Amino acid sequence: MLVALLVGLIVAAGVWLHDRRQRDRQLQLAQEQSFSQLRFPTYGQRLTGAEVTVIRRDQCPPPAPVLPAAQAAAQASWWYCVGPRRTCYMAVALCERQWLRWQVRWVVRPLDEQHMRQALDGDDEALWLAFGEVGERGLQL
């Protein structure tokens, strides 16, 4: 009886882990698809997510206190991006699970170079990708 219970727990844990990985893959795919069609605020030109370079992605709990639009979000991630002529952006993906698929809403804000550097501080690889420079410690890849 104890063996059957233990086997049942192992099977349940395996099913849960598989479901979790599947959800993570679905979320990543939904974010990437919606990001490529996203419009970025620019001066005089149309810029989409497919035309910017994502420098870093940070997963975090939903930023409900910061962004009122995020109150219903189940998960959020912050994407730091660089466009043509070193234009910098922060795109926040607000993700909500709806039945069997993810609904992704975006909040996009332009960042000046100083704020982008602050956001990437301590991440030498991201600084190098964004500005062609490294932090005080040098590039640690």
Side-chain angles (χ1 to χ4, degrees):
M1 171 128 154
L2 184 60
V3 173
L5 180 61
L6 187 58
V7 169
L9 286 173
I10 291 172
V11 169
V15 169
W16 178 83
L17 184 60
H18 175 74
D19 183 56
R20 178 72 179 181
R21 287 182 181 159
Q22 185 70 19
R23 278 184 170 195
D24 290 347
R25 282 193 291 269
Q26 289 174 348
L27 175 59
Q28 184 176 2
L29 183 62
Q31 287 177 339
E32 289 173 0
Q33 287 176 344
S34 63
F35 182 83
S36 67
Q37 300 169 1
L38 191 61
R39 301 277 167 118
F40 285 78
T42 59
Y43 299 104
Q45 70 180 35
R46 291 177 45 173
L47 188 63
T48 65
E51 299 168 304
V52 300
T53 302
V54 177
I55 302 300
R56 187 171 83 188
R57 298 179 195 182
D58 293 331
Q59 296 290 338
C60 58
V66 179
L67 299 170
Q71 290 178 356
Q75 189 171 355
S77 61
W78 303 73
W79 296 33
Y80 297 96
C81 314
V82 176
R85 288 179 254 126
R86 282 192 173 170
T87 52
C88 302
Y89 301 94
M90 177 186 66
V92 181
L94 305 170
C95 309
E96 186 178 358
R97 184 89 170 160
Q98 293 183 346
W99 293 97
L100 298 176
R101 63 185 194 82
W102 286 97
Q103 178 70 31
V104 182
R105 292 178 295 133
W106 291 92
V107 177
V108 178
R109 297 289 182 256
L111 293 177
D112 60 21
E113 186 173 329
Q114 176 185 359
H115 286 99
M116 183 68 151
R117 286 182 184 279
Q118 288 173 347
L120 301 178
D121 188 41
D123 187 342
D124 292 337
E125 183 179 3
L127 284 169
W128 182 78
L129 289 170
F131 303 108
E133 303 169 5
V134 295
E136 297 173 3
R137 297 176 288 142
L139 189 57
Q140 308 282 324
L141 297 178

